[in-house]
Structures are given as C-alpha cells and as structure tokens.
C-alpha cells in the first residue's frame, strides 16, 4: 500500500491503462467475431468491399480528378440504387450496398472528382448530386470544377455519417471542457502537484490510455462513409501496385499517404484481418494523435513545470476536436498535423534541413502543406547565406523524388505538378462548409468568381492570403527569435482558413496543436486561450458537418455565426500577440500564469 501511496499518479494511470486495454481487446474481439455494427462502408465480411478485397474487385466512382465525366458515362444518384457493370468488365461494379455507382463506356474506371477533401453538405443531410449540367449548378454559376459533391450528415448508406453517438460526443466535449478548465485552475492555484520521479513513465501511461480508448471506439463508429469508402478503395488499389495507382484509382491525394494505404491494403489480405479494415484505416491517425501529444510534451517539458507539460499533452490527446477527426470521421488530418508540428519544431530549433524535410513531407501528404512553406522561407531569409538555401532545396528535391518515384513509371515528368493543379482547382467555391468569413457572409458553395464588394471572392481570398503571409513574415523577421516559427505557422493557417476561399471544415485542424506549441515557447496565457478557442471552433465545425447541421444555401445558422466570429476574433488577437511578443520577447510567463511561485 505504501508503494501505491507514494506513486499514486502512476498507480492510477496504470489502472486506467489496464481498463482501457481490456476494453480495447474486448472491442476488437467482438469485431473479429462479426458482432460489430454494419458500417455501410464495406468493411465487414458480410458482403461489403472488405469481403471482395482479395478477389481484386475495384469500386467505380462517378467523375474524375479533373471534374469531368468520361464520354458515355452514366450516373445513378438515387439512394440505394446500384449501377450495372459495363459490358466486358464485370469487375467494374463495386460491391457497395446502397452506393451510387457509375460506369464508363468500355468499362473504364473513372477517378473520383475531388477525392478526399470534399465534405459537401446536402440540405438536411439528404443526398444531392452535383454533376456538370445540374440545374442547381447552372442557377448559382457553380457548374465548373468538381464532377460531384458529397453530402454530409446523417445519411445511412450515403456519403455522410450514420448519425450515431452525436449526443455522447457532445456530452464528452462538455465534460472535457469542464475538467480541463478545472485542471488548469488547480494548477494555477498551486493545488496540482505531481511528485513522481518517473515522469517519462507517467506521460507514456497517459498517452497509452488515450490511444487504447480511441482504438476501442474506432471499429464501432462507421465514420464519414464517403471518405472511408475512398480510403478503402485506394488501399485496395495501392495493394495491387503503386506504379499504376493513379491510373486505376480515384485518388487526388499526393503520394505520401498512399504508402500508408498500401500497407493497410497488404495487411488486410492476411487471414482473420479483414474484419479489422475500418480500424486499420483509422489507426495511423490515432497513433499520430499520440505522437503529436508527445512532441508537444517534449517541447513543454524543457520550458515549463512538469504538471503544465502533462496538461498540455493531455489537452491534445483527449481533445474532442482531435477525437472527432480521426476516431469518428476517419480522416487523416492528425497524421498531417503530426508532420507539420515536426516541421515547425525543427525550424524553431534552427534545424532547417530537417525543417525542409518535414515540410516537404507535409506537402507530399496534402496540398495544404504549402500553406506552411513561408515559415521555412522566413527562416532561410534570416540566415543571409546561400548555403542553407541550397541545402534545403536539395533535401526537398531528393525527398520528393524518392517519395514520387514508385508512382512515376511511364508518366509525364510533370505528372505530380498536374495532380496538384487539378486538386487545387476542384472546388471553386467561396466556402466549402468552413465556418469562416465567407461562410458568415452566406457564401457557402457560392462560386468563388462571384462578385462581393467590387472584387470576386477569389480575389479577396488572394488579398487576405498575401496579408497573412506578409504579416507573419514581418513579425518573424522583426522578432529575431526562431521560436516565432510557431506563431507564424499559426497565423498562416488561421488567417488562410478564416479569410480564404475554397476552405473545408477540417483545414483549421492543425491550429489547435500549433497554438499549444506557441504557448509553450512564448508562455503567454493568451495563446492558451487561443488553443481553447480554436479547439472549440474546430470541433463545432467538424461536428456540424459530420452530423448534418450545415446548409448548402446562404443560410447562416447559429453554430456558423458563433464559430466564424470566434475565428475572426482569434485571428485579430493573434496579430496583437505577435506584435507584443516581437516587441517584448520576454513578457508574461505561462508558468507564472498557471503556477504560484515555488517555495
């Protein structure tokens, strides 16, 4: 008993780990026994895509990456109907129950328009099509771009979620906010003291508890069905060979994450693994949550009291905004954010070669990685030497060639550039369910070429992006502090999301981690409030789209109005913080804000 009393924190977390591990094993055992609910994403052995995986069947999706339809293509968009395979290609029809299919003349497999970053919302969660020539598109002038959009929300059998666990998730978010607020309050009052010498074990136990709890929940939550189905089909196609992946799949993702899907596709062909396909799709992002939390802890442990560093890691690991993205939705923003945080950490430590490496990986993961590239450019500018530029360029080039080479056989040398170009132009809308300025103005799914106050939404977007980039660069260079990379990265993503066009609801996701990282480096309690604020708006935006509380029209609901205003206010506050910190780099200490003076 004395051992437990002396190490009560480790004992409590060890008990929590045993419980979470037991729940996870039980959950996965039930899935293996076929007791998991039908996800509708074809993950189960009873007739979905997972069942046909080894037979080599490939699902066919309407449209292509350029948003056009193949000649003679026929599409069926009525819910629950299945299209017939074209003559001579019996494998063209996917094995998706209730999945709208399309076939091209001659049995060719089409690529999906928009690929993964679409979360288009049908009114009231119902299915809507958006194909070239659709009257709705003609009416609002948005007929160009994506060949189809995907409705979100409670839409069983369709693209969106099945609507389950919404109340439980909302209750969890409220409890999390209350408990976290109490934890920081007790820390500030000096009543949170962790007298443990084995601090590495303690943080390891905390992150392991979070990981196993998410792993236990993952198989029972069907996710955003359209996105899960895309990942399923891409994993299947990648397993057939990387060289022909982009010709035979619907993917518009750059190559990096395809390696993860390749491994997933190979693993699922092993005996008794097939029923865990949905879990395997979510697993990389769930692991990335723990890695990002660990990176934040490592940065914080060097500058802040252990209690505060532990709170920051727990804040991220159990954050509802993080939970809904990977464990519920099944998206990959957690994996992307892990790479971005690693890149920013490298730049803050003046390891620009590693910064170039991780930044290149982020761009090869998602085109949104380009948003963070100015951070490295600012750091290189401050060196005033050509050597770091050449080294960074060489590392970026070699990394790109190595990652892209297995996909490049028989392709145009510019194929990767063309992939990015087609992806960037897929959603020519002022907003794509983003709770930002253009969403606040009622421009959700309004064509970005539409005029607003003398300029088009697209032109306004370019103006705001230029302003955010110049501001972040000005403060970074003025501060002469390498740690300003975290603030610059935060301003870039929050400014671009809040004031730019073609933003999806999930693009703000890295802001939660970057706000915590900036808080660690600058020890400013306003940045801690930003971490709370961005976490709240990220959660509300993702929750609204996932559960179907958004509208494609100009209607501005309470969640959009409230969240968009908060995002705008947080951006303004961030500019003020950067101004203050560039003038007074040694101002307010987070340790002083959270903890009393040490006795």
């Amino acid at each position: 008993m004395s051992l437990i009393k002396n190490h009560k924190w480790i004992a409590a977390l060890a008990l929590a780990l045993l419980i979470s591990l037991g729940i996870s094993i039980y959950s996965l055992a039930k899935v293996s026994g076929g007791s998991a609910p039908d996800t509708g994403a074809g993950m189960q052995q009873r007739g979905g895509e997972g069942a046909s995986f080894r037979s080599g069947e490939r699902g066919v999706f309407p449209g292509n990456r350029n948003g056009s339809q193949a000649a003679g293509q026929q599409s069926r968009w009525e819910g629950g109907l299945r299209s017939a395979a074209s003559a001579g290609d019996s494998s063209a029809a996917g094995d998706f129950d209730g999945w709208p299919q399309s076939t091209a003349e001659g049995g060719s497999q089409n690529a999906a328009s928009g690929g993964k970053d679409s979360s288009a919302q049908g009114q009231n969660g119902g299915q809507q099509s958006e194909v070239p020539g659709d009257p709705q598109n003609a009416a609002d002038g948005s007929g160009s771009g994506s060949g189809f959009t995907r409705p979100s929300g409670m839409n069983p059998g369709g693209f969106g979620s099945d609507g389950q666990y919404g109340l439980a998730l909302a209750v969890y978010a409220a409890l999390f906010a209350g408990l976290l607020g109490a934890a920081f309050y007790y820390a500030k009052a000096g009543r949170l003291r962790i007298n443990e010498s084995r601090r590495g074990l303690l943080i390891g136990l905390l992150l392991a508890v979070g990981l196993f709890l998410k792993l236990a929940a993952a198989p029972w939550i069907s996710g955003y069905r359209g996105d899960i189905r895309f990942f399923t089909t891409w994993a299947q196609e990648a397993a057939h060979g990387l060289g022909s992946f982009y010709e035979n799949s619907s993917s518009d993702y750059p190559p990096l994450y395809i390696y993860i899907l390749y491994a997933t596709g190979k693993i699922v062909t092993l005996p008794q693994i097939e029923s865990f396909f949905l879990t395997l799709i979510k697993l990389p992002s769930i692991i990335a949550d723990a890695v990002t939390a660990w990176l934040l802890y490592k940065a914080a442990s060097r500058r802040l009291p252990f209690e505060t560093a532990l709170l920051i890691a727990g804040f991220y690991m159990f954050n509802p905004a993080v939970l809904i993205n990977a464990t519920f939705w099944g998206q990959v923003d957690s994996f992307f954010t892990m790479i971005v945080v690693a890149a920013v950490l490298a730049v803050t430590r003046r390891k620009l070669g590693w910064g170039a490496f991780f930044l290149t990986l982020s761009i090869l993961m998602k085109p949104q990685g380009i948003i963070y590239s100015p951070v490295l450019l600012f750091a290189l500018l401050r060196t005033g030497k050509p050597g770091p530029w050449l080294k960074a360029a060489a590392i970026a080039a070699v990394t790109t060639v190595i990652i892209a080479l297995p996909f490049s056989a028989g392709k145009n040398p510019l194929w990767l550039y063309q992939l990015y170009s087609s992806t960037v132009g897929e959603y020519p809308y002022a907003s794509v369910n983003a709770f930002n300025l253009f969403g606040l103005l009622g421009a959700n799914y309004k064509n970005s070429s539409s005029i607003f106050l003398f300029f088009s939404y697209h032109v306004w977007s370019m103006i705001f992006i230029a302003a955010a980039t110049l501001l972040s660069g000005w403060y970074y260079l003025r501060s002469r502090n390498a740690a300003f990379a975290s603030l610059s990265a935060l301003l870039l993503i929050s400014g671009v999301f809040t004031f730019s066009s073609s933003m999806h609801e999930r693009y703000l996701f890295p802001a939660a981690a970057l706000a915590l990282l900036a808080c660690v480096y600058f020890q400013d309690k306003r940045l801690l409030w930003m971490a709370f604020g961005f976490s709240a708006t990220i959660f509300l935006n993702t929750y609204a789209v996932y559960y179907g509380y958004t509208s494609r029209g100009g209607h501005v609901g309470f969640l959009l109005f409230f969240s968009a205003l908060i995002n705008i206010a947080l951006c303004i506050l961030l500019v003020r913080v950067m101004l203050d910190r560039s003038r007074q780099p040694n101002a307010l200490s987070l340790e002083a804000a959270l903890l009393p003076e040490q006795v």
Side-chain angles (χ1 to χ4, degrees):
M1 293 298 295
S2 60
L3 181 64
I4 294 177
K5 183 177 180 180
N6 293 334
H7 301 281
K8 58 183 179 181
W9 286 96
I10 290 180
L13 283 177
L15 178 61
L17 176 60
L18 288 176
I19 294 173
S20 63
L21 180 60
I23 295 173
S24 179
I25 293 173
Y26 175 79
S27 174
L28 295 175
K30 295 288 286 183
V31 172
S32 179
S35 300
D38 188 358
T39 64
M43 296 294 104
Q44 306 302 320
Q45 295 187 14
R46 45 184 188 272
E49 169 110 3
S52 63
F53 186 89
R54 299 191 192 109
S55 65
E57 291 187 16
R58 295 173 172 84
V60 183
F61 297 85
N64 57 34
R65 284 193 298 269
N66 296 323
S68 60
Q69 290 183 314
Q73 185 181 24
Q74 297 178 351
S75 300
R76 285 186 178 270
W77 293 92
E78 295 78 17
L81 293 181
R82 305 176 64 180
S83 61
S86 58
D89 188 3
S90 61
S91 67
D95 193 16
F96 293 3
D97 295 332
W99 174 252
Q101 305 259 348
S102 62
T103 58
E105 189 174 345
S108 62
Q109 181 173 339
N110 303 317
S113 83
K116 280 296 301 86
D117 275 323
S118 170
S119 304
Q121 167 62 26
Q123 299 252 3
N124 300 322
Q127 287 182 311
Q128 294 184 4
S129 64
E130 185 168 327
V131 295
D134 183 82
Q136 180 179 344
N137 297 345
D140 65 9
S142 60
S144 61
S146 175
F148 70 100
T149 58
R150 298 177 301 187
S152 68
M154 293 173 281
N155 185 18
F159 274 111
S161 73
D162 57 13
Q164 294 183 327
Y165 310 111
L167 178 60
L169 182 58
V171 171
Y172 170 79
L175 290 175
F176 174 84
L179 290 174
L180 189 68
F184 276 106
Y185 170 80
Y186 281 114
K188 182 177 181 180
R191 298 171 62 183
L192 180 62
R193 288 283 186 256
I194 302 176
N195 298 318
E196 296 284 357
S197 59
R198 305 180 67 178
R199 294 179 173 182
L201 176 61
L202 201 63
I203 184 64
L205 289 172
L206 178 69
L207 298 182
V209 169
L211 190 149
F212 282 117
L213 288 176
K214 292 180 180 182
L215 187 61
W220 303 91
I221 304 171
S222 64
Y224 193 91
R225 292 168 180 261
D227 288 356
I228 295 296
R229 283 164 175 159
F230 275 106
F231 285 141
T232 302
T233 307
W234 297 352
Q236 176 180 342
E237 192 55 54
H240 286 91
L242 297 178
S244 59
F245 174 78
Y246 285 105
E247 286 76 15
N248 297 329
S249 78
S250 62
S251 179
D252 65 344
Y253 262 32
L256 181 61
Y257 201 73
I258 308 306
Y259 285 100
I260 303 296
L261 295 176
Y262 170 82
T264 302
K266 289 295 186 182
I267 292 172
V268 82
T269 60
L270 299 175
Q272 307 302 320
I273 299 296
E274 195 170 41
S275 56
F276 301 107
F277 204 170
L278 178 61
T279 306
L280 288 173
I281 291 292
K282 297 179 178 181
L283 183 60
S285 293
I286 291 175
I287 294 175
D289 290 341
V291 174
T292 304
W294 181 80
L295 289 174
L296 292 172
Y297 165 78
K298 291 297 290 184
S301 63
R302 298 176 180 180
R303 296 165 178 81
L304 302 172
F306 172 72
E307 293 83 357
T308 306
L310 192 70
L311 280 178
I312 287 174
F315 183 178
Y316 188 83
M317 187 63 190
F318 297 93
N319 195 327
V322 176
L323 177 68
I324 192 175
N325 188 281
T327 309
F328 274 72
W329 191 304
Q331 256 294 343
V332 299
D333 299 285
S334 292
F335 201 92
F336 173 72
T337 298
M338 175 187 68
I339 301 173
V340 170
V341 169
V344 174
L345 277 171
V347 174
T348 59
R349 295 171 184 174
R350 296 183 175 87
K351 298 180 179 179
L352 301 188
W354 283 107
F357 172 71
F358 285 115
L359 182 61
T360 303
L361 289 184
S362 73
I363 297 172
L364 291 171
M365 168 77 187
K366 278 192 167 191
Q368 290 78 44
I370 299 172
I371 294 174
Y372 305 93
S373 58
V375 175
L376 178 62
L377 297 180
F378 301 150
L380 291 171
L381 277 173
R382 201 166 57 185
T383 64
K385 302 176 182 178
W389 286 87
L390 295 175
K391 181 180 179 181
I395 291 174
V398 171
T399 303
T400 301
V401 169
I402 292 175
I403 297 296
L405 192 60
F407 300 87
S408 303
K411 290 187 179 63
N412 184 316
L414 297 177
W415 73 269
L416 191 57
Y417 170 78
Q418 293 168 353
L419 177 66
Y420 280 95
S421 298
S422 63
T423 301
V424 170
E426 280 170 354
Y427 298 99
Y429 307 113
S431 175
V432 187
N433 293 327
F435 287 179
N436 61 6
L437 174 63
F438 294 156
L440 185 63
L441 295 174
N444 195 34
Y445 280 97
K446 180 175 288 189
N447 196 291
S448 58
S449 62
S450 302
I451 301 300
F452 175 76
L453 294 181
F454 309 110
F455 299 115
S456 67
Y457 288 104
H458 178 72
V459 171
W460 279 116
S461 173
M462 293 299 102
I463 294 173
F464 287 131
I465 290 175
T469 304
L470 290 174
L471 271 176
S472 61
W474 169 256
Y475 288 130
Y476 186 97
L477 297 173
R478 179 186 182 186
S479 68
R480 301 181 181 277
N481 183 353
F484 238 80
S486 57
L487 285 174
S488 292
L490 180 59
L491 179 59
L492 286 168
I493 185 55
S494 59
V496 169
F497 175 86
T498 305
F499 300 104
S500 180
S501 62
S502 303
M503 291 292 108
H504 298 253
E505 69 287 332
R506 294 174 291 100
Y507 286 4
L508 187 60
F509 183 84
L514 291 173
L516 287 172
L517 186 62
C519 182
V520 165
Y521 278 111
F522 290 92
Q523 304 175 17
D524 191 322
K525 64 181 180 181
R526 291 174 295 180
L527 291 169
L528 186 63
W529 282 110
M530 284 185 204
F532 279 103
F534 282 128
S535 296
T537 59
I538 292 166
F539 174 78
L540 291 174
N541 202 164
T542 310
Y543 187 96
V545 175
Y546 186 77
Y547 287 106
Y549 297 113
T550 56
S551 170
R552 282 179 56 101
H555 176 70
V556 178
F558 173 76
L559 286 179
L560 194 162
F561 179 81
F562 177 74
S563 300
L565 284 181
I566 290 180
N567 283 331
I568 293 171
L570 290 174
C571 285
I572 296 173
L573 177 60
L574 178 57
V575 172
R576 177 56 189 268
V577 169
M578 293 179 73
L579 175 62
D580 292 343
R581 301 308 301 183
S582 65
R583 291 174 174 174
Q584 303 173 11
N586 296 315
L588 182 64
S589 166
L590 185 63
E591 179 178 354
L594 295 181
L595 298 173
E597 293 183 3
Q598 301 291 335
V599 178

